[in-house]
Amino acid sequence: MTQHSPFTHLNEQGEANMVDVSDKAVTVREAVAQARVFMAQATFDLLQQGQHAKGDVLAVARIAGIQAAKRCADLIPLCHPLMLSKVDVDFTLQPEQHCLAIRARCKLSGQTGVEMEALTAVSVAALTVYDMCKAVDKHMRIDDIKVVKKQGGKQDFDVSDNGVADD
Amino acid sequence: MTQHSPFTHLNEQGEANMVDVSDKAVTVREAVAQARVFMAQATFDLLQQGQHAKGDVLAVARIAGIQAAKRCADLIPLCHPLMLSKVDVDFTLQPEQHCLAIRARCKLSGQTGVEMEALTAVSVAALTVYDMCKAVDKHMRIDDIKVVKKQGGKQDFDVSDNGVADD
Amino acid sequence: MTQHSPFTHLNEQGEANMVDVSDKAVTVREAVAQARVFMAQATFDLLQQGQHAKGDVLAVARIAGIQAAKRCADLIPLCHPLMLSKVDVDFTLQPEQHCLAIRARCKLSGQTGVEMEALTAVSVAALTVYDMCKAVDKHMRIDDIKVVKKQGGKQDFDVSDNGVADD
Amino acid sequence: MTQHSPFTHLNEQGEANMVDVSDKAVTVREAVAQARVFMAQATFDLLQQGQHAKGDVLAVARIAGIQAAKRCADLIPLCHPLMLSKVDVDFTLQPEQHCLAIRARCKLSGQTGVEMEALTAVSVAALTVYDMCKAVDKHMRIDDIKVVKKQGGKQDFDVSDNGVADD
Amino acid sequence: MTQHSPFTHLNEQGEANMVDVSDKAVTVREAVAQARVFMAQATFDLLQQGQHAKGDVLAVARIAGIQAAKRCADLIPLCHPLMLSKVDVDFTLQPEQHCLAIRARCKLSGQTGVEMEALTAVSVAALTVYDMCKAVDKHMRIDDIKVVKKQGGKQDFDVSDNGVADD
Amino acid sequence: MTQHSPFTHLNEQGEANMVDVSDKAVTVREAVAQARVFMAQATFDLLQQGQHAKGDVLAVARIAGIQAAKRCADLIPLCHPLMLSKVDVDFTLQPEQHCLAIRARCKLSGQTGVEMEALTAVSVAALTVYDMCKAVDKHMRIDDIKVVKKQGGKQDFDVSDNGVADD
């Protein structure tokens, strides 16, 4: 490894510190992340049926995800505190794989990207779904948490939608 | 769906509330959860080399995971507050798949299981690894978050170790 | 005022401290609190119509109330930390007064009453309703926040239901 | 209800999300909210006498209110995180109704109004008074929580002072 | 260093984890800690004069200390969450050294000691005094933070009172 | 005391409130604070030996300090919420006095100084070291917490390095 660590959070001694963003440009930044919760067919059917029940499971998970995005800097030690100007979380039922896909979109005008906020939102939304379904299904699995879009920084990208199903 | 919702957090109207655990037995309960972070070969090599750097990346992720386990009830809306008597988080580098496996073990003497705490610990530890490596690898993926062991409740289980690699 | 302050949180110098509950009995304690949100007729109609919209407004407020109950000791300086074994929050539309009534029930087995937790739950649920409706109605009013039932301590009481409408 | 929900936090599906404020103007915004705590004559007298005791009850409540204003986005799920540049909380004893009136003023330079912060401050200050007086008075009531002034946004207003006593 | 680390939070690999307290006895535990804030004579005089001002500075610091004790496990990564049954914080003006002495006493019935809670309380109370006086005195110093009494565990001790002034 | 309180957080009635910073200039501000943990020779030797162990003790303390800096406004009642653009925490072993010196540097572009954030970082880092070493040394002492540098405000200063050892 060279003297200058490729891990931006680590100095030459391998010590972890918050990166200095004082000199980065203030731009509108946006990130989209996803997660997927795989479950038994029977669990999936319960979620898909029963409009009311599903509504509330997903409403609770959405709120948990939004709240978690706002608390990202409190959870991830080296994340900068920042002021999100928008968070939304939405859900798609994917019957062929009996899984629930979750997407979160975060936005701000600031000096750092918001992909960690979007990743935190989908992770906590997925954990909340897990919590609410675990009495009927002990073997769910949360998979495929990743950033699918990042905009407004130096290195933007956008994973095409088929990226979601390439597991 | 029957009148009595199979989702224990939902009442007959599909409304979400915290389950009443007042009458559950106080037992020693334990849960183990895992997560895996898949990364590019080059990122994995950086993590595996450079003892110092790796040390600190994983030390930070371990602390983030432990702190997150303690904050589980604050993050997952219908989780009960509880007093963990032990949390540990450990890491295994899996070179053949260039992934980092994370395990968390939570324990308490109480009225509810601690699988959500263990799942929260591994998820936040994984997100922290992601955060610290994202400058060198934008396409990491967190996968395979699940409970591998649950003990002390009514329905114990223990997924055999090969379960870790059965993705 | 006598030497011994009637305010249990204050010592003889009028200084505020957390009361010592070490010697109080561990009993199952329960409290029910309420709040009411008064709004314009048009706002009330919007809330009453549109099943979906109402569902989500109330689902968000319910979660906010439950989360706030768990954070009570963090908000109210002299409240003891405690481990709620149950929280539920429910809503009743009261068309004659175009107001929304909110009730929260908290329960634990412990050494202190849970009325502050129930009051915090209804207050934050009411504020959340306010937040979600404020774009259509700037002059809502939250009223009538009080404890309606307290059980398991030394001084139990139960305000009869007509208490709710005696404003 | 029209296709476009009048509730700004809900989309067409009635799902709740944080509103996008990225394009709103940065202006100096201010809001004033109030709450009132009604109590028994004897409780009121205790609060009014005994300078020391009163001082500390209100000092504790003021701090609780200020701290709560700063935590508003953590409590109210769809509130934006923001950086208050000023919060103050003050109290008026209203002997004719033996009630305590609480006012909070919040200010910031930003993209969203601060009425939720001011409302949260007075609500938590009122709950704190309730907590400290509940040993002597189990039947207090928190009433009349509302915004009395809002400035710096698109729809300013200022309820005249007699608005405080028009219950 | 022997194979078995003398640091109880570290395993043989030097990795930090929360100690398992599941098997420790539940006893009534108490700890007292102190801190001292040294300031310029002029600052000390301001604090000592003006009853009102002093009252509120110390009232704010006391509340900050109590709140911090409750949040100890959230701040100190390897502390166990626990349910304090009592916290008090008090202050002594020490004119000969123009310093303010702060003491906090924490108590619980549980499986771990509460010295970290007491230390956190005095530290945050001292920081709060610093914050409120820093406009008049930029060179204050917080000193002498230590545990002076610990009871209810395996290794109790009690530093005699002259320990406070032995700096 | 004059009518106008010299304590900027107190009004003429001695009531504590958050200062209004709306009109202060946005400048790049930086502060450096320090703390020192004094320990027994044997404890110091343990910390100095055993690279791994030391590494993790300090890594945990560093993260705790960084996290605490971000939570400063949540801990210190009258601090403004703000968005740190950089935090770093570092450690120096001082063998002659068998003490560990801790320094934190905080930076932001904003309207208020960041010395409270830096002081909070070193205090919590010191408490974390205390927590991890307390099983081997019950009589550690945290001393000498102070601001050593402040830049970007109206009254900058920089205590020369010998200031660190002038106790």
Side-chain angles (χ1 to χ4, degrees):
Chain A
M1 189 161 18
T2 68
Q3 204 114 330
H4 201 79
S5 170
F7 294 117
T8 49
H9 294 90
L10 301 176
N11 62 12
E12 303 80 55
Q13 283 76 47
E15 297 166 354
N17 279 305
M18 255 173 84
V19 174
D20 190 348
V21 298
S22 313
D23 297 328
K24 293 178 74 176
V26 173
T27 59
V28 174
R29 291 158 190 270
E30 196 178 323
V32 180
Q34 69 157 35
R36 293 204 290 168
V37 187
F38 288 85
M39 55 192 78
Q41 182 69 53
T43 317
F44 185 83
D45 292 347
L46 280 170
L47 206 62
Q48 197 165 34
Q49 300 157 17
Q51 220 42 37
H52 260 308
K54 188 194 73 178
D56 241 21
V57 168
L58 300 190
V60 176
R62 184 183 294 114
I63 293 307
I66 291 171
Q67 289 286 68
K70 291 191 274 182
R71 252 175 253 161
C72 179
D74 209 39
L75 291 170
I76 312 297
L78 303 178
C79 276
H80 292 81
L82 47 77
M83 293 196 306
L84 293 169
S85 58
K86 168 154 197 58
V87 184
D88 65 45
V89 175
D90 64 74
F91 302 94
T92 313
L93 287 162
Q94 300 183 325
E96 68 289 354
Q97 298 175 290
H98 33 91
C99 94
L100 174 74
I102 307 174
R103 283 204 169 215
R105 179 182 308 267
C106 292
K107 206 172 154 184
L108 97 160
S109 170
Q111 293 174 303
T112 58
V114 289
E115 65 265 50
M116 290 315 301
E117 282 69 18
L119 286 165
T120 300
V122 292
S123 299
V124 171
L127 290 169
T128 301
V129 169
Y130 191 107
D131 180 44
M132 298 185 78
C133 296
K134 72 179 190 293
V136 293
D137 187 350
K138 271 152 190 53
H139 300 292
M140 285 168 289
R141 204 176 77 245
I142 301 171
D143 251 341
D144 208 17
I145 300 179
K146 64 184 178 198
V147 180
V148 293
K149 190 177 167 185
K150 184 164 150 49
Q151 236 175 3
K154 276 188 303 192
Q155 293 171 294
D156 292 352
F157 63 87
D158 190 343
V159 173
S160 70
D161 265 11
N162 59 350
V164 180
D166 71 347
D167 197 34
Chain B
M1 191 160 17
T2 69
Q3 204 114 332
H4 201 79
S5 169
F7 295 116
T8 49
H9 293 92
L10 302 176
N11 63 11
E12 302 81 56
Q13 282 77 48
E15 297 165 355
N17 278 305
M18 254 174 83
V19 172
D20 190 348
V21 298
S22 314
D23 298 328
K24 292 178 76 174
V26 173
T27 59
V28 174
R29 291 157 191 270
E30 196 178 324
V32 180
Q34 69 157 36
R36 293 205 289 168
V37 187
F38 288 86
M39 56 193 76
Q41 183 68 53
T43 317
F44 186 82
D45 292 346
L46 280 171
L47 206 63
Q48 198 166 33
Q49 299 159 17
Q51 220 42 39
H52 261 310
K54 187 195 76 180
D56 241 22
V57 168
L58 300 190
V60 176
R62 184 182 296 114
I63 293 307
I66 291 172
Q67 288 288 65
K70 293 192 272 182
R71 252 176 253 160
C72 178
D74 209 41
L75 290 171
I76 312 296
L78 303 178
C79 276
H80 292 82
L82 46 77
M83 292 195 308
L84 293 169
S85 57
K86 169 157 195 56
V87 185
D88 64 46
V89 175
D90 64 74
F91 302 94
T92 312
L93 288 162
Q94 302 184 325
E96 67 289 353
Q97 299 176 290
H98 34 90
C99 92
L100 174 75
I102 307 174
R103 281 204 171 216
R105 179 181 310 267
C106 292
K107 206 171 153 186
L108 96 162
S109 170
Q111 294 174 303
T112 58
V114 289
E115 65 266 50
M116 291 315 301
E117 280 72 17
L119 287 164
T120 301
V122 293
S123 301
V124 172
L127 290 169
T128 301
V129 169
Y130 192 107
D131 180 44
M132 297 184 79
C133 298
K134 70 180 193 291
V136 292
D137 186 350
K138 274 155 185 52
H139 300 291
M140 286 168 287
R141 203 175 77 244
I142 301 170
D143 250 340
D144 208 17
I145 300 179
K146 65 184 176 197
V147 180
V148 293
K149 189 176 167 186
K150 183 165 151 47
Q151 236 174 3
K154 277 188 304 192
Q155 292 172 295
D156 292 351
F157 63 88
D158 190 345
V159 172
S160 70
D161 265 10
N162 58 352
V164 179
D166 71 347
D167 198 36
Chain C
M1 192 162 15
T2 69
Q3 204 114 331
H4 202 79
S5 169
F7 294 116
T8 50
H9 292 91
L10 302 176
N11 62 14
E12 302 80 55
Q13 283 76 47
E15 298 166 355
N17 279 304
M18 254 173 84
V19 173
D20 190 348
V21 299
S22 313
D23 298 328
K24 292 177 75 174
V26 173
T27 58
V28 174
R29 291 158 191 269
E30 197 177 323
V32 180
Q34 70 158 34
R36 295 204 288 168
V37 187
F38 288 85
M39 54 192 78
Q41 183 69 52
T43 318
F44 185 84
D45 292 347
L46 281 170
L47 206 62
Q48 197 166 33
Q49 300 157 18
Q51 219 42 38
H52 260 309
K54 188 195 73 177
D56 242 21
V57 169
L58 299 190
V60 176
R62 184 184 292 114
I63 292 309
I66 291 172
Q67 288 287 67
K70 291 192 273 181
R71 252 175 251 162
C72 178
D74 209 39
L75 290 171
I76 313 295
L78 304 178
C79 276
H80 292 81
L82 47 77
M83 292 196 308
L84 293 169
S85 58
K86 168 154 195 60
V87 184
D88 64 45
V89 175
D90 64 75
F91 301 93
T92 313
L93 287 162
Q94 301 183 322
E96 68 288 352
Q97 299 175 289
H98 33 90
C99 93
L100 174 74
I102 307 174
R103 283 203 168 215
R105 179 182 309 266
C106 291
K107 207 172 154 184
L108 97 161
S109 170
Q111 294 174 302
T112 57
V114 290
E115 65 265 50
M116 290 315 302
E117 281 70 18
L119 286 165
T120 300
V122 293
S123 301
V124 172
L127 289 169
T128 301
V129 169
Y130 191 107
D131 180 44
M132 297 184 78
C133 298
K134 71 180 190 293
V136 292
D137 186 350
K138 271 151 191 51
H139 299 292
M140 285 168 289
R141 203 175 78 245
I142 301 172
D143 251 340
D144 208 17
I145 300 180
K146 64 184 178 198
V147 180
V148 293
K149 190 177 167 184
K150 183 165 152 46
Q151 236 176 4
K154 276 189 302 193
Q155 292 172 293
D156 293 352
F157 63 87
D158 191 344
V159 173
S160 70
D161 265 10
N162 58 351
V164 180
D166 71 347
D167 199 32
Chain D
M1 193 160 17
T2 67
Q3 206 113 329
H4 202 79
S5 170
F7 295 117
T8 49
H9 293 92
L10 303 175
N11 62 12
E12 302 80 57
Q13 284 76 48
E15 297 166 356
N17 279 305
M18 253 173 84
V19 172
D20 190 348
V21 298
S22 314
D23 298 328
K24 291 178 76 174
V26 174
T27 59
V28 174
R29 291 158 191 269
E30 196 179 323
V32 180
Q34 69 157 36
R36 293 204 289 168
V37 187
F38 289 85
M39 55 191 77
Q41 182 70 51
T43 317
F44 186 82
D45 292 346
L46 281 170
L47 207 63
Q48 199 167 29
Q49 300 158 15
Q51 220 40 40
H52 260 311
K54 187 194 76 178
D56 242 22
V57 168
L58 301 190
V60 176
R62 183 182 295 115
I63 293 308
I66 292 171
Q67 288 287 66
K70 292 191 272 182
R71 253 175 251 159
C72 179
D74 209 39
L75 291 171
I76 312 296
L78 303 178
C79 275
H80 293 81
L82 46 78
M83 292 196 308
L84 293 169
S85 58
K86 168 155 197 57
V87 184
D88 64 46
V89 175
D90 64 75
F91 301 94
T92 313
L93 287 163
Q94 301 183 324
E96 67 290 352
Q97 299 175 291
H98 34 93
C99 94
L100 175 74
I102 306 173
R103 281 202 172 218
R105 179 182 310 266
C106 291
K107 205 170 154 187
L108 96 161
S109 169
Q111 294 174 304
T112 58
V114 289
E115 65 265 50
M116 290 316 299
E117 282 69 18
L119 286 165
T120 300
V122 293
S123 301
V124 172
L127 290 169
T128 300
V129 170
Y130 191 108
D131 180 43
M132 297 184 78
C133 297
K134 70 180 191 293
V136 292
D137 187 350
K138 273 155 186 52
H139 299 291
M140 285 167 289
R141 204 175 77 245
I142 301 171
D143 251 340
D144 207 17
I145 300 179
K146 64 184 177 198
V147 180
V148 293
K149 189 175 166 186
K150 185 164 152 46
Q151 236 174 2
K154 275 188 304 190
Q155 293 171 295
D156 292 351
F157 63 87
D158 191 344
V159 172
S160 70
D161 266 11
N162 59 349
V164 179
D166 72 345
D167 199 35
Chain E
M1 191 162 17
T2 68
Q3 203 114 334
H4 201 79
S5 169
F7 295 116
T8 48
H9 294 92
L10 302 176
N11 63 13
E12 302 80 57
Q13 283 77 48
E15 298 165 355
N17 278 305
M18 254 173 84
V19 173
D20 191 347
V21 298
S22 313
D23 297 328
K24 292 179 74 175
V26 173
T27 59
V28 173
R29 291 157 191 269
E30 197 178 322
V32 180
Q34 69 159 34
R36 292 204 290 168
V37 186
F38 288 85
M39 56 192 76
Q41 183 69 52
T43 318
F44 186 82
D45 291 346
L46 280 171
L47 207 62
Q48 198 166 31
Q49 299 158 16
Q51 221 38 43
H52 259 313
K54 188 195 75 178
D56 241 22
V57 168
L58 301 189
V60 175
R62 183 183 294 115
I63 292 308
I66 292 172
Q67 288 288 66
K70 293 192 273 182
R71 252 175 251 160
C72 179
D74 209 40
L75 290 170
I76 312 296
L78 302 179
C79 276
H80 293 82
L82 46 77
M83 292 195 308
L84 293 169
S85 58
K86 168 153 196 59
V87 184
D88 64 47
V89 176
D90 65 75
F91 301 93
T92 313
L93 287 163
Q94 301 183 325
E96 68 287 354
Q97 300 175 289
H98 33 91
C99 94
L100 174 75
I102 308 174
R103 282 203 170 217
R105 181 182 306 269
C106 292
K107 207 171 154 186
L108 97 161
S109 169
Q111 293 173 304
T112 58
V114 289
E115 65 267 49
M116 291 316 301
E117 281 69 18
L119 287 165
T120 301
V122 293
S123 302
V124 172
L127 290 168
T128 301
V129 169
Y130 191 108
D131 180 43
M132 296 183 79
C133 297
K134 71 179 192 292
V136 292
D137 186 350
K138 270 153 189 54
H139 300 291
M140 285 167 288
R141 202 175 78 246
I142 301 171
D143 250 341
D144 208 18
I145 301 179
K146 64 184 177 198
V147 179
V148 292
K149 189 176 167 186
K150 184 166 152 43
Q151 236 175 3
K154 276 189 302 190
Q155 291 171 293
D156 292 352
F157 64 87
D158 191 344
V159 172
S160 70
D161 266 9
N162 58 351
V164 178
D166 71 346
D167 200 32
Chain F
M1 191 159 23
T2 68
Q3 204 114 330
H4 201 80
S5 170
F7 295 118
T8 49
H9 294 90
L10 301 177
N11 61 13
E12 302 82 56
Q13 284 76 47
E15 298 166 355
N17 278 306
M18 256 172 85
V19 173
D20 190 348
V21 298
S22 313
D23 297 327
K24 293 178 74 175
V26 174
T27 59
V28 174
R29 292 158 190 268
E30 197 177 323
V32 180
Q34 68 158 34
R36 293 204 288 168
V37 187
F38 288 86
M39 55 192 77
Q41 182 69 54
T43 317
F44 185 83
D45 292 346
L46 281 170
L47 207 63
Q48 197 166 33
Q49 299 158 18
Q51 220 40 41
H52 260 311
K54 187 195 74 178
D56 242 21
V57 168
L58 300 190
V60 176
R62 184 182 294 114
I63 293 308
I66 292 171
Q67 289 287 66
K70 291 192 273 180
R71 253 175 250 160
C72 179
D74 209 39
L75 290 170
I76 312 297
L78 304 179
C79 277
H80 292 82
L82 46 78
M83 291 196 308
L84 293 169
S85 58
K86 168 155 196 57
V87 185
D88 64 45
V89 176
D90 64 74
F91 302 94
T92 313
L93 287 162
Q94 301 183 324
E96 68 288 353
Q97 300 174 290
H98 34 91
C99 93
L100 175 74
I102 308 173
R103 282 202 171 218
R105 181 182 307 269
C106 292
K107 206 171 155 186
L108 96 162
S109 169
Q111 294 173 303
T112 58
V114 289
E115 65 266 51
M116 291 315 302
E117 282 68 19
L119 287 166
T120 300
V122 292
S123 301
V124 172
L127 290 169
T128 301
V129 169
Y130 191 108
D131 180 44
M132 297 184 79
C133 297
K134 71 180 192 292
V136 293
D137 187 349
K138 272 154 188 52
H139 300 291
M140 286 167 289
R141 203 176 77 246
I142 301 170
D143 252 340
D144 208 17
I145 301 179
K146 64 185 178 197
V147 179
V148 293
K149 189 177 167 185
K150 184 164 150 47
Q151 236 176 4
K154 275 187 303 191
Q155 293 171 292
D156 292 352
F157 64 87
D158 190 344
V159 172
S160 71
D161 264 11
N162 59 350
V164 178
D166 70 348
D167 199 31

